[in-house]
Amino acid sequence: MTPTDADTNGSAAAAAACHPQQPDTDPRGEAQTVTDNAETSPTSGTHGYAKQKDAHIKRLRRIEGQIRGLQRMLEEDVYCIDILTQVSASTKGLQSFGLQLLEEHLRHCVADAAVKGPEAIDAKVQEATKAIERMLRT
């Protein structure tokens, strides 16, 4: 996601209420991924994934292990088809994680916006639709 991909039709404020923009660097000084939020929000509400955060971190570490396994496979000159099988498994893991995160976003953030009124729900639905479009392109 690049800053130019940021929301251009006014739903950034609705997005910021649920998912405030993250700082450009983490405490270790490494770059962070840019979010869809075009503006920073001083509020830091609970994210839809908060209840499952530990499980998500565990899952991402497992996927990270698969990626490191790909590196080792290349270093060890493993057969191409075996590497491609591992690529497929890693890709499937990330897709599955993304779908679960999307479901949690819909249940938490979009449902919360529905209570706030038609403008908020429209913004959240449009934001979710764009996220789905990005996921389908991959």
Side-chain angles (χ1 to χ4, degrees):
M1 175 67 49
T2 64
T4 57
D5 290 338
D7 185 21
T8 58
N9 54 12
S11 67
C18 181
H19 298 285
Q21 184 171 348
Q22 300 298 315
D24 290 338
T25 59
D26 71 7
R28 298 170 301 199
E30 296 176 5
Q32 293 288 312
T33 303
V34 176
T35 65
D36 275 351
N37 302 327
E39 51 191 61
T40 304
S41 171
T43 61
S44 59
T46 303
H47 299 294
Y49 58 81
K51 292 179 184 177
Q52 300 292 327
K53 188 174 183 177
D54 290 340
H56 288 323
I57 289 171
K58 184 178 180 180
R59 189 173 193 178
L60 287 172
R61 286 186 179 142
R62 189 168 41 248
I63 294 168
E64 179 183 22
Q66 290 177 308
I67 301 302
R68 290 184 192 278
L70 282 167
Q71 293 170 348
R72 278 190 304 276
M73 291 173 86
L74 282 173
E75 290 168 353
E76 296 170 4
D77 295 322
V78 173
Y79 184 58
C80 304
I81 298 300
D82 294 338
I83 296 171
L84 289 170
T85 300
Q86 184 67 18
V87 167
S88 179
S90 301
T91 302
K92 183 70 172 173
L94 277 173
Q95 288 172 338
S96 178
F97 171 75
L99 286 172
Q100 184 174 3
L101 200 61
L102 178 63
E103 179 182 355
E104 290 167 1
H105 176 72
L106 293 172
R107 289 185 186 279
H108 179 267
C109 302
V110 176
D112 183 57
V115 173
K116 294 177 181 175
E119 287 183 16
I121 187 66
D122 287 345
K124 285 294 178 186
V125 167
Q126 189 170 26
E127 177 186 54
T129 300
K130 287 182 178 184
I132 293 166
E133 288 173 352
R134 285 190 303 271
M135 288 180 71
L136 289 175
R137 285 193 297 248
T138 59

